[in-house]
Amino acid sequence: MKLIADLHTHTIASGHAYSTINEMAAGAKENGIKILGMTDHGPNMPRGPHIYHFANLKIIPKEIDGIKILRGVEANITDIYGTLDLPVEILARLDIVLVGFHTGTGYESGSKEDNTKAMINAIKNPPVDIVVHPGNPEYQVDSQRVIMAAKEDDVALEINNSSYLSRPGSKKRCIEIAQLAKKAGLKLILGTDAHYSARVGVFDKALEIVKEAQLEEDDILNTSLDRVEEFIARKSKVKKLIKENYRV
């Protein structure tokens, strides 16, 4: 299975990553990636970038050395209402908006019901494109309800390659999510969550999930350039309407 896009990566701006955007683009090119998501953590992340970082992302080229750059964020879900740590008028300026749970950023893991409500409410934010590492066992959710909410709001769910290292116990939940998503007809994204340039486009662990869940190439959005670009274009229309409303 060939992956052509890596939509979840971090640069030195995140505070705990180790490569510049130019270095990440070079890593993408080395590993056959055509589209790179520059999705640094939202401002609630300790030592994460200030809101000005995201407001100023327009200065980053849309293409670096032949690699298409999607300028975005991995925003933090900060409460049970699905509030994110960037205002909607900033989110609407970005090419790609990822959301997820992270400790120390506002919302600490609650009951399965509370976590599910928080994630579904985040999904309902119009600029949101992808929910990252939904299989995180620290924040258990009702996978079926999350999948149906994501399908209703045209949001993708991620199988996160780094979860094996940073979120032990994710594998079983990721397989469950993958199987339920396939049954529901919801496309998934494989993301590396790379914090270093050499890891861009390395999907070895996520591909194990794909194999064990018996997914096909068509079940994964980022196996096709056309599918990724069509998905981003659909969400861009929503963001354009928000920008017009806020005149940003």
Side-chain angles (χ1 to χ4, degrees), residues 31-98:
N31 290 332
I33 294 298
K34 307 296 184 184
I35 303 177
L36 177 67
M38 180 185 176
T39 53
D40 285 303
H41 286 284
N44 276 25
M45 176 64 64
R47 296 190 64 222
H50 189 273
I51 188 174
Y52 289 0
H53 166 90
F54 302 100
N56 199 42
L57 277 177
K58 60 191 175 188
I59 71 166
I60 300 295
K62 292 184 178 181
E63 186 175 298
I64 298 175
D65 197 20
I67 305 301
K68 183 174 182 177
I69 306 297
L70 297 179
R71 301 160 298 186
V73 65
E74 182 183 6
N76 299 291
I77 301 170
T78 65
D79 58 34
I80 197 171
Y81 305 106
T83 306
L84 304 177
D85 59 344
L86 282 176
V88 68
E89 59 268 30
I90 298 294
L91 294 172
R93 297 184 192 183
L94 304 178
D95 300 320
I96 188 166
V97 175
L98 281 50

Coordinates of all heavy atoms in Angstrom, one line a residue, residues 31-98:
N31 N 11.1 10.3 1.3 CA 10.2 9.1 1.5 C 9.0 9.0 0.6 O 8.0 8.3 0.9 CB 9.8 9.1 3.0 CG 11.0 8.7 3.9 OD1 11.9 8.1 3.5 ND2 10.9 9.2 5.1
G32 N 9.0 9.8 -0.5 CA 8.0 9.6 -1.5 C 6.6 10.3 -1.2 O 5.6 10.0 -1.8
I33 N 6.6 11.2 -0.3 CA 5.4 11.9 0.1 C 5.2 13.2 -0.7 O 6.2 14.0 -0.9 CB 5.5 12.3 1.6 CG1 5.5 11.1 2.5 CG2 4.3 13.3 2.0 CD1 4.2 10.2 2.4
K34 N 4.0 13.4 -1.3 CA 3.7 14.5 -2.2 C 3.1 15.7 -1.5 O 3.2 16.8 -1.9 CB 2.8 14.0 -3.3 CG 3.3 12.8 -4.1 CD 4.6 13.1 -4.8 CE 5.0 11.9 -5.6 NZ 6.4 12.1 -6.3
I35 N 2.3 15.4 -0.4 CA 1.6 16.4 0.4 C 2.0 16.3 1.8 O 1.9 15.2 2.4 CB 0.1 16.3 0.2 CG1 -0.3 16.3 -1.3 CG2 -0.6 17.4 1.0 CD1 -1.8 16.1 -1.5
L36 N 2.4 17.4 2.4 CA 2.9 17.4 3.8 C 2.0 18.4 4.6 O 1.8 19.6 4.3 CB 4.3 17.9 3.9 CG 5.0 18.0 5.2 CD1 5.1 16.7 5.9 CD2 6.3 18.7 5.1
G37 N 1.4 17.9 5.7 CA 0.7 18.7 6.6 C 1.6 19.3 7.7 O 2.2 18.5 8.4
M38 N 1.7 20.6 7.7 CA 2.5 21.3 8.8 C 1.5 21.6 9.9 O 0.9 22.7 9.9 CB 3.1 22.6 8.2 CG 3.9 23.4 9.2 SD 4.5 24.9 8.4 CE 5.3 25.7 9.9
T39 N 1.4 20.7 10.9 CA 0.3 20.8 11.9 C 0.9 20.9 13.3 O 0.8 19.9 14.0 CB -0.6 19.6 11.7 OG1 0.2 18.4 11.7 CG2 -1.4 19.6 10.4
D40 N 1.5 22.0 13.6 CA 2.1 22.2 14.9 C 1.0 22.3 15.9 O -0.2 22.7 15.6 CB 3.0 23.4 14.9 CG 4.3 23.1 14.2 OD1 5.0 22.2 14.7 OD2 4.6 23.8 13.3
H41 N 1.3 21.9 17.2 CA 0.4 21.9 18.3 C -0.2 23.3 18.5 O 0.5 24.3 18.3 CB 1.0 21.4 19.6 CG 1.3 20.0 19.6 ND1 0.3 19.1 19.8 CD2 2.4 19.3 19.4 CE1 0.8 17.8 19.8 NE2 2.1 17.9 19.5
G42 N -1.5 23.3 19.0 CA -2.1 24.6 19.3 C -1.5 25.2 20.5 O -0.7 24.6 21.3
P43 N -1.8 26.5 20.8 CA -1.1 27.3 21.8 C -1.3 26.8 23.3 O -0.5 27.2 24.1 CB -1.7 28.7 21.7 CG -3.0 28.5 20.9 CD -2.8 27.3 20.1
N44 N -2.2 25.9 23.6 CA -2.4 25.4 24.9 C -1.3 24.4 25.2 O -1.1 24.0 26.4 CB -3.8 24.8 25.2 CG -4.8 25.8 25.5 OD1 -4.6 27.0 25.2 ND2 -5.8 25.4 26.2
M45 N -0.6 23.8 24.2 CA 0.4 22.9 24.5 C 1.6 23.6 25.2 O 2.0 24.7 24.7 CB 0.9 22.3 23.1 CG 2.1 21.3 23.3 SD 1.8 19.8 24.2 CE 0.5 19.0 23.2
P46 N 2.1 23.0 26.3 CA 3.3 23.7 26.9 C 4.4 23.9 26.0 O 4.8 23.0 25.2 CB 3.6 22.7 28.0 CG 2.3 22.0 28.4 CD 1.6 21.9 27.0
R47 N 4.9 25.1 25.9 CA 6.0 25.6 25.0 C 5.5 25.5 23.6 O 6.4 25.5 22.6 CB 7.3 24.8 25.2 CG 7.9 24.9 26.6 CD 9.3 24.3 26.7 NE 10.2 25.0 25.8 CZ 11.1 24.4 25.0 NH1 11.2 23.1 25.0 NH2 11.9 25.1 24.2
G48 N 4.2 25.4 23.3 CA 3.7 25.4 22.0 C 3.7 26.8 21.4 O 4.0 27.8 22.1
P49 N 3.4 26.9 20.1 CA 3.5 28.2 19.4 C 2.3 29.1 19.8 O 1.2 28.7 20.2 CB 3.3 27.8 17.9 CG 2.8 26.5 17.9 CD 3.2 25.8 19.1
H50 N 2.6 30.4 19.8 CA 1.7 31.4 20.1 C 0.6 31.5 19.0 O 0.9 31.1 17.8 CB 2.4 32.8 20.3 CG 1.6 33.9 20.8 ND1 0.8 34.7 20.0 CD2 1.4 34.3 22.1 CE1 0.2 35.6 20.7 NE2 0.5 35.4 22.0
I51 N -0.5 32.1 19.3 CA -1.6 32.3 18.3 C -1.1 33.0 17.0 O -1.5 32.8 15.9 CB -2.8 33.0 18.9 CG1 -4.0 33.0 17.9 CG2 -2.4 34.4 19.4 CD1 -5.2 33.5 18.5
Y52 N -0.1 33.9 17.2 CA 0.5 34.7 16.1 C 1.1 33.7 15.1 O 1.2 34.0 13.9 CB 1.5 35.7 16.5 CG 0.9 36.9 17.3 CD1 -0.4 37.0 17.5 CD2 1.8 37.9 17.8 CE1 -0.9 38.1 18.2 CE2 1.3 39.0 18.5 CZ 0.0 39.1 18.7 OH -0.5 40.2 19.4
H53 N 1.7 32.6 15.6 CA 2.3 31.6 14.6 C 1.3 31.2 13.6 O 1.6 31.1 12.4 CB 2.8 30.4 15.4 CG 3.1 29.2 14.6 ND1 4.4 29.0 14.1 CD2 2.3 28.2 14.2 CE1 4.3 27.9 13.4 NE2 3.1 27.3 13.4
F54 N 0.0 30.9 14.0 CA -1.0 30.4 13.1 C -1.6 31.5 12.2 O -1.9 31.3 11.1 CB -2.1 29.7 13.9 CG -1.5 28.5 14.7 CD1 -1.2 28.7 16.1 CD2 -1.2 27.3 14.1 CE1 -0.7 27.7 16.8 CE2 -0.6 26.3 14.8 CZ -0.4 26.5 16.2
A55 N -1.7 32.7 12.8 CA -2.2 33.9 12.1 C -1.2 34.2 10.9 O -1.6 34.8 9.9 CB -2.4 35.0 13.0
N56 N 0.1 33.9 11.1 CA 1.1 34.3 10.2 C 1.5 33.2 9.2 O 2.5 33.3 8.4 CB 2.3 34.8 10.9 CG 3.3 35.6 10.1 OD1 2.8 36.5 9.3 ND2 4.6 35.4 10.2
L57 N 0.9 32.0 9.3 CA 1.3 30.9 8.4 C 1.2 31.1 6.9 O 1.8 30.4 6.1 CB 0.5 29.6 8.8 CG 0.9 28.8 10.0 CD1 0.0 27.7 10.3 CD2 2.4 28.3 9.8
K58 N 0.5 32.2 6.6 CA 0.3 32.5 5.1 C 1.7 32.8 4.5 O 1.8 32.7 3.3 CB -0.6 33.8 5.0 CG -0.1 35.0 5.7 CD -1.1 36.1 5.7 CE -0.6 37.3 6.5 NZ -1.7 38.3 6.7
I59 N 2.7 33.1 5.3 CA 4.1 33.4 4.7 C 4.8 32.1 4.3 O 5.8 32.2 3.6 CB 4.9 34.2 5.7 CG1 5.4 33.4 6.9 CG2 4.2 35.5 6.1 CD1 6.5 34.0 7.7
I60 N 4.3 31.0 4.8 CA 5.0 29.7 4.4 C 4.5 29.3 3.0 O 3.3 29.4 2.7 CB 4.5 28.6 5.4 CG1 4.9 28.9 6.8 CG2 5.1 27.2 5.0 CD1 6.4 29.0 7.1
P61 N 5.5 29.0 2.1 CA 5.1 28.7 0.8 C 4.1 27.5 0.7 O 4.2 26.6 1.5 CB 6.5 28.3 0.1 CG 7.5 28.9 1.0 CD 6.9 28.9 2.4
K62 N 3.3 27.5 -0.3 CA 2.4 26.4 -0.6 C 3.1 25.2 -1.1 O 2.5 24.1 -1.2 CB 1.2 26.9 -1.5 CG 0.3 27.9 -0.9 CD -0.8 28.2 -1.8 CE -1.8 29.2 -1.2 NZ -3.0 29.5 -2.1
E63 N 4.3 25.4 -1.6 CA 5.1 24.3 -2.1 C 6.6 24.5 -1.8 O 7.1 25.7 -1.9 CB 4.9 24.2 -3.6 CG 5.6 23.0 -4.2 CD 5.3 22.8 -5.7 OE1 4.1 22.7 -6.1 OE2 6.3 22.9 -6.5
I64 N 7.2 23.5 -1.3 CA 8.7 23.6 -1.0 C 9.3 22.4 -1.7 O 9.0 21.2 -1.4 CB 8.9 23.5 0.5 CG1 8.3 24.7 1.3 CG2 10.4 23.5 0.8 CD1 8.4 24.7 2.8
D65 N 10.2 22.7 -2.6 CA 11.0 21.7 -3.4 C 10.1 20.6 -3.9 O 10.4 19.4 -3.8 CB 12.1 21.1 -2.4 CG 13.1 20.4 -3.2 OD1 13.3 20.6 -4.4 OD2 13.8 19.5 -2.6
G66 N 9.0 21.0 -4.5 CA 8.1 20.1 -5.1 C 7.1 19.4 -4.2 O 6.2 18.6 -4.7
I67 N 7.1 19.7 -2.9 CA 6.2 19.1 -1.9 C 5.1 20.1 -1.6 O 5.4 21.3 -1.2 CB 6.9 18.7 -0.6 CG1 8.1 17.8 -0.9 CG2 6.0 18.1 0.3 CD1 7.8 16.5 -1.7
K68 N 3.9 19.7 -1.8 CA 2.8 20.6 -1.5 C 2.6 20.7 0.1 O 2.6 19.7 0.8 CB 1.4 20.1 -2.0 CG 0.2 21.0 -1.8 CD -1.0 20.5 -2.5 CE -2.2 21.4 -2.3 NZ -3.4 21.0 -3.1
I69 N 2.6 21.9 0.6 CA 2.5 22.2 2.0 C 1.1 22.6 2.4 O 0.5 23.6 1.8 CB 3.5 23.2 2.5 CG1 4.9 22.9 2.0 CG2 3.4 23.4 4.0 CD1 5.5 21.6 2.6
L70 N 0.5 21.9 3.3 CA -0.8 22.3 3.9 C -0.5 22.9 5.3 O 0.0 22.3 6.2 CB -1.7 21.1 4.1 CG -2.1 20.4 2.8 CD1 -3.0 19.2 3.1 CD2 -2.8 21.3 1.8
R71 N -0.8 24.2 5.4 CA -0.4 25.0 6.6 C -1.6 24.8 7.6 O -2.7 25.2 7.3 CB -0.2 26.4 6.2 CG 1.0 26.6 5.2 CD 0.9 27.8 4.4 NE -0.3 28.0 3.6 CZ -0.4 29.0 2.8 NH1 0.5 29.9 2.6 NH2 -1.6 29.1 2.1
G72 N -1.3 24.2 8.8 CA -2.4 23.9 9.7 C -2.0 23.9 11.1 O -1.1 24.6 11.6
V73 N -2.8 23.1 11.9 CA -2.7 23.0 13.3 C -3.2 21.7 13.8 O -4.0 21.1 13.2 CB -3.5 24.1 14.0 CG1 -5.0 24.0 13.8 CG2 -3.2 24.2 15.5
E74 N -2.6 21.2 14.9 CA -3.2 20.1 15.7 C -3.7 20.8 16.9 O -3.0 21.0 17.9 CB -2.2 19.1 16.1 CG -2.8 17.9 16.8 CD -1.8 16.9 17.3 OE1 -0.6 17.1 17.1 OE2 -2.2 15.9 17.9
A75 N -5.0 21.2 16.8 CA -5.6 22.0 17.9 C -6.0 21.1 19.1 O -6.3 19.9 18.9 CB -6.9 22.7 17.4
N76 N -6.0 21.6 20.3 CA -6.3 20.9 21.5 C -7.8 21.1 21.8 O -8.3 22.2 21.8 CB -5.4 21.4 22.6 CG -4.0 21.2 22.4 OD1 -3.5 20.1 22.4 ND2 -3.2 22.3 22.2
I77 N -8.4 19.9 22.2 CA -9.8 20.0 22.7 C -9.7 20.4 24.2 O -9.0 19.7 24.9 CB -10.5 18.6 22.5 CG1 -10.5 18.2 21.1 CG2 -11.9 18.7 23.2 CD1 -11.0 16.8 20.8
T78 N -10.3 21.5 24.5 CA -10.0 22.1 25.9 C -11.2 21.8 26.9 O -11.0 22.1 28.1 CB -9.8 23.6 25.8 OG1 -11.0 24.2 25.3 CG2 -8.7 23.9 24.8
D79 N -12.3 21.3 26.4 CA -13.4 21.1 27.4 C -14.4 20.1 26.8 O -14.3 19.7 25.6 CB -14.1 22.4 27.8 CG -14.6 23.2 26.7 OD1 -15.1 22.6 25.7 OD2 -14.6 24.5 26.8
I80 N -15.4 19.8 27.6 CA -16.4 18.8 27.2 C -17.3 19.4 26.0 O -17.9 18.6 25.3 CB -17.3 18.4 28.4 CG1 -18.1 17.1 28.1 CG2 -18.3 19.5 28.8 CD1 -18.8 16.5 29.2
Y81 N -17.3 20.7 25.8 CA -18.1 21.3 24.8 C -17.3 21.3 23.4 O -17.8 21.8 22.4 CB -18.4 22.7 25.1 CG -19.1 22.8 26.5 CD1 -18.4 23.3 27.6 CD2 -20.4 22.4 26.6 CE1 -19.1 23.4 28.8 CE2 -21.1 22.4 27.8 CZ -20.4 22.9 28.9 OH -21.0 22.9 30.2
G82 N -16.1 20.7 23.4 CA -15.4 20.6 22.2 C -14.7 21.9 21.8 O -14.3 22.0 20.6
T83 N -14.5 22.8 22.7 CA -13.8 24.1 22.4 C -12.4 23.8 22.0 O -11.7 23.0 22.7 CB -13.9 25.0 23.6 OG1 -15.3 25.1 24.1 CG2 -13.3 26.4 23.3
L84 N -11.9 24.5 21.1 CA -10.5 24.3 20.6 C -9.7 25.5 21.1 O -10.2 26.6 21.4 CB -10.5 24.2 19.1 CG -11.3 23.0 18.5 CD1 -11.2 23.0 17.0 CD2 -10.9 21.7 19.1
D85 N -8.4 25.4 21.0 CA -7.5 26.4 21.6 C -7.1 27.5 20.5 O -6.1 28.2 20.7 CB -6.3 25.9 22.3 CG -5.4 25.0 21.5 OD1 -5.9 24.5 20.4 OD2 -4.3 24.7 21.9
L86 N -7.8 27.6 19.4 CA -7.7 28.7 18.5 C -9.1 29.1 18.1 O -10.0 28.3 18.0 CB -6.9 28.2 17.2 CG -5.4 28.1 17.3 CD1 -4.9 27.6 15.9 CD2 -4.7 29.4 17.6
P87 N -9.3 30.4 18.0 CA -10.6 30.9 17.6 C -10.9 30.5 16.1 O -10.1 30.3 15.3 CB -10.4 32.4 17.7 CG -9.0 32.7 17.6 CD -8.3 31.5 18.2
V88 N -12.2 30.4 15.9 CA -12.7 29.9 14.6 C -12.2 30.8 13.4 O -11.9 30.3 12.3 CB -14.2 29.8 14.6 CG1 -14.9 31.2 14.6 CG2 -14.7 29.1 13.4
E89 N -12.0 32.1 13.6 CA -11.5 32.9 12.5 C -10.1 32.7 12.2 O -9.7 32.9 11.0 CB -11.7 34.4 12.9 CG -11.0 34.9 14.1 CD -11.8 34.9 15.4 OE1 -12.7 34.0 15.5 OE2 -11.6 35.7 16.3
I90 N -9.3 32.1 13.1 CA -7.9 31.7 12.8 C -8.0 30.3 12.1 O -7.3 30.1 11.1 CB -7.0 31.7 14.0 CG1 -6.9 33.1 14.6 CG2 -5.6 31.1 13.7 CD1 -6.2 34.1 13.7
L91 N -8.8 29.4 12.7 CA -8.9 28.1 12.1 C -9.3 28.1 10.7 O -8.8 27.3 9.8 CB -9.9 27.2 12.9 CG -9.5 26.9 14.4 CD1 -10.7 26.3 15.1 CD2 -8.3 26.0 14.4
A92 N -10.2 29.1 10.3 CA -10.7 29.1 9.0 C -9.7 29.6 8.0 O -9.8 29.4 6.8 CB -11.9 30.1 8.9
R93 N -8.6 30.2 8.4 CA -7.5 30.6 7.5 C -6.6 29.5 7.1 O -5.8 29.6 6.2 CB -6.6 31.7 8.2 CG -7.3 33.0 8.6 CD -6.2 33.9 9.2 NE -6.8 35.1 9.8 CZ -6.1 36.1 10.3 NH1 -4.8 36.0 10.3 NH2 -6.7 37.1 10.9
L94 N -6.7 28.3 7.9 CA -5.7 27.3 7.7 C -6.1 26.3 6.6 O -7.3 26.0 6.4 CB -5.5 26.6 9.0 CG -5.1 27.5 10.2 CD1 -4.9 26.7 11.5 CD2 -3.8 28.2 9.9
D95 N -5.2 25.6 6.0 CA -5.5 24.6 5.0 C -6.0 23.4 5.6 O -6.8 22.6 5.0 CB -4.2 24.3 4.2 CG -3.6 25.5 3.5 OD1 -4.3 26.3 2.9 OD2 -2.3 25.6 3.5
I96 N -5.5 23.0 6.8 CA -5.9 21.8 7.4 C -6.0 22.0 8.9 O -5.1 22.6 9.5 CB -5.0 20.6 7.0 CG1 -5.5 19.3 7.5 CG2 -3.5 20.9 7.5 CD1 -4.8 18.1 6.9
V97 N -7.1 21.4 9.6 CA -7.3 21.5 11.0 C -7.4 20.1 11.6 O -8.4 19.4 11.3 CB -8.5 22.4 11.3 CG1 -8.8 22.4 12.8 CG2 -8.3 23.8 10.8
L98 N -6.5 19.8 12.4 CA -6.5 18.5 13.2 C -6.9 18.8 14.6 O -6.6 19.9 15.1 CB -5.1 17.8 13.2 CG -4.7 17.0 12.0 CD1 -4.8 17.8 10.7 CD2 -3.2 16.6 12.1

